[in-house]
Amino acid sequence: MKGLHVPKPSKRDQLLDATKELLWDVGYEAMSPRDIQDRSGARPGSLYHHFPSKLAIAGEALCDLAKEDVASTNDFFSTDAAPLDAVRQYLFLKRDGRRGCRFGRLVNETSIESEEIRRPVTAYFDAVRTNLAQSLHKAKEEGTLPPDLDTETLSISLLALIQGGGILAKAYQDYSYFDRAMEGALALISGVARA
Amino acid sequence: MKGLHVPKPSKRDQLLDATKELLWDVGYEAMSPRDIQDRSGARPGSLYHHFPSKLAIAGEALCDLAKEDVASTNDFFSTDAAPLDAVRQYLFLKRDGRRGCRFGRLVNETSIESEEIRRPVTAYFDAVRTNLAQSLHKAKEEGTLPPDLDTETLSISLLALIQGGGILAKAYQDYSYFDRAMEGALALISGVARA
DNA sequence: GTCTATAACAGGATAGAC
DNA sequence: GTCTATCCTGTTATAGAC
């Protein structure tokens, strides 16, 4: 009988959903419990009944988000496309430039020092890096990329590129900076690739 | 007679110096006027006598920082080294990994929407980008880089790489991620360069 | 110009009724 | 489980004496 009807969402779920949106929109520090309450339609009693603190609800929300995004990243790379094409497509994947990466945006906040926040962030980064590294490695095995290329290191560069591209887009308030950052890197990759 | 002795620093200067340190350490939102007062040894009366608001003192402090860092970046690239070597050296320039880029760290805060904060940030980014683009362009004219390479676009990628490298270093609490991100990019550049 | 004192408000959380 | 009411603290200033 599972899934035959949509169960009424519990206040707990509504609180978590509101927190997920706020973490993306404004980050952790700028998100007040009051904001969560207003957006979810729940009152303080509900919030502190289900979660001991702001950090706790943010941590659970972020873990959910990381799970989702790790899964969709794995999906994206489970493709029949040529490995280097998968990488190219991933770099130009449509992202929400206005809000930037929901994980990367948290890194410069004080809260990154708590494991509740840091763990889901690095879990997401690890997933992206691993998928990129695997595709680059396959491309090397195919002979599309030169055999002496360090694909592990390159995957770190590409992850940094994506994160930095988001920073530039936001600073300049212009998403085209993100795409140009990707293009520059792709030109280099194409430059070393065997057709 | 200018510069013959060190004048006693005014409270105004002490307030600005404290603000500069705090902006780097904790960012704008997490920096309270009280923090500025404690670090500078000045009381609220002094702060609000010299500056109308927290945003005003932060804006002036950031403009000073941008001026300094634009000048030192220009200096760095005023070198006799081969253009591509200057780029390589810039990427591996020792940065404070624990604190990250003092400008980039502000981009994900709400305050980036105010021109007082955004302008010095983009001024610094522009200076880095311009210097990188010029060096890459010289390398192309020399024949060190292929003639069809879009050096403007590549300079944006390298700026993004630097910013993103800082994000990874902070997320993983390990500065070696920054260096590895740079290495991956350098390997690509060397791959397309003519010896 | 610098100080002390304090106001007005928001953030983070608790108490206790229902 | 959810609500209303409330508490304590920190933030961002302002007032006015010196």
Side-chain angles (χ1 to χ4, degrees):
Chain A
M1 293 294 281
K2 237 185 186 171
L4 276 190
H5 72 301
V6 180
K8 197 183 76 177
S10 68
K11 282 287 175 203
R12 190 177 197 282
D13 289 340
Q14 292 177 273
L15 282 160
L16 276 174
D17 287 344
T19 304
K20 290 175 194 176
E21 290 175 36
L22 283 165
L23 281 174
W24 197 1
D25 281 344
V26 305
Y28 177 80
E29 318 277 6
M31 169 187 74
S32 80
R34 194 77 147 248
D35 294 333
I36 301 175
Q37 292 153 28
D38 290 347
R39 196 182 276 239
S40 67
R43 301 291 88 212
S46 293
L47 205 175
Y48 289 99
H49 171 73
H50 292 295
F51 306 93
S53 66
K54 176 186 163 184
L55 183 59
I57 188 173
E60 183 163 335
L62 254 194
C63 280
D64 285 1
L65 288 175
K67 232 174 259 176
E68 290 170 26
D69 285 6
V70 166
S72 67
T73 303
N74 290 339
D75 275 2
F76 186 94
F77 280 94
S78 302
T79 171
D80 292 333
L84 212 48
D85 285 337
V87 171
R88 280 191 249 265
Q89 283 161 27
Y90 186 72
L91 294 186
F92 287 102
L93 194 60
K94 264 306 156 239
R95 291 166 171 90
D96 188 333
R98 198 176 47 76
R99 298 201 280 186
C101 172
R102 21 187 184 189
F103 302 98
R105 70 158 298 135
L106 300 173
V107 171
N108 282 311
E109 300 199 21
T110 317
S111 57
I112 197 67
E113 283 163 27
S114 73
E115 286 304 300
E116 284 92 336
I117 304 295
R118 210 177 70 85
R119 200 149 6 110
V121 170
T122 54
Y124 170 74
F125 283 178
D126 285 342
V128 172
R129 206 161 45 72
T130 303
N131 278 293
L132 285 170
Q134 278 174 359
S135 286
L136 292 169
H137 184 73
K138 274 189 233 160
K140 193 162 76 170
E141 283 189 322
E142 272 185 5
T144 319
L145 286 177
D148 58 322
L149 198 65
D150 182 341
T151 51
E152 280 292 333
T153 298
L154 185 53
S155 73
I156 294 176
S157 301
L158 293 183
L159 175 55
L161 186 77
I162 292 168
Q163 292 297 315
I167 298 278
L168 298 193
K170 225 167 176 185
Y172 286 107
Q173 301 180 328
D174 179 353
Y175 189 71
S176 73
Y177 275 85
F178 184 93
D179 284 336
R180 296 184 68 193
M182 299 307 126
E183 278 163 25
L186 267 194
L188 290 182
I189 292 178
S190 300
V192 300
R194 280 97 166 101
Chain B
M1 294 295 283
K2 238 183 185 172
L4 276 190
H5 72 300
V6 179
K8 195 182 75 174
S10 68
K11 281 288 173 202
R12 191 177 196 281
D13 289 340
Q14 291 177 274
L15 282 160
L16 276 174
D17 286 344
T19 304
K20 290 175 194 176
E21 288 176 38
L22 284 165
L23 281 174
W24 197 0
D25 280 344
V26 305
Y28 177 80
E29 318 277 6
M31 169 187 74
S32 81
R34 190 87 141 242
D35 295 333
I36 300 175
Q37 292 153 28
D38 289 349
R39 196 182 277 238
S40 66
R43 301 291 89 214
S46 293
L47 204 176
Y48 289 99
H49 170 74
H50 292 294
F51 306 94
S53 67
K54 176 187 163 183
L55 184 59
I57 188 172
E60 183 163 336
L62 254 196
C63 280
D64 284 0
L65 288 175
K67 231 173 261 174
E68 290 170 25
D69 284 7
V70 166
S72 67
T73 302
N74 290 339
D75 274 2
F76 186 93
F77 280 94
S78 302
T79 170
D80 292 333
L84 212 48
D85 284 338
V87 171
R88 278 190 249 265
Q89 282 162 26
Y90 186 73
L91 293 185
F92 286 102
L93 193 60
K94 264 307 155 238
R95 292 167 171 90
D96 188 333
R98 197 178 47 77
R99 297 202 279 187
C101 172
R102 20 187 185 192
F103 302 97
R105 70 158 298 133
L106 300 172
V107 171
N108 282 311
E109 299 199 21
T110 317
S111 58
I112 197 67
E113 283 162 27
S114 73
E115 286 304 300
E116 284 92 336
I117 303 296
R118 210 177 69 85
R119 200 149 5 109
V121 170
T122 55
Y124 170 74
F125 284 177
D126 285 341
V128 173
R129 206 161 45 71
T130 303
N131 277 293
L132 285 169
Q134 279 174 359
S135 287
L136 292 169
H137 185 72
K138 274 190 234 161
K140 192 161 77 169
E141 283 189 323
E142 272 185 5
T144 319
L145 287 176
D148 59 322
L149 197 66
D150 182 343
T151 52
E152 279 294 331
T153 298
L154 185 52
S155 72
I156 294 175
S157 300
L158 293 183
L159 175 56
L161 186 77
I162 291 168
Q163 292 297 315
I167 298 276
L168 298 193
K170 226 168 174 183
Y172 286 107
Q173 302 180 327
D174 178 354
Y175 189 71
S176 73
Y177 275 85
F178 184 94
D179 284 335
R180 296 185 67 190
M182 300 306 126
E183 278 163 24
L186 267 194
L188 290 182
I189 293 178
S190 300
V192 300
R194 281 100 167 98

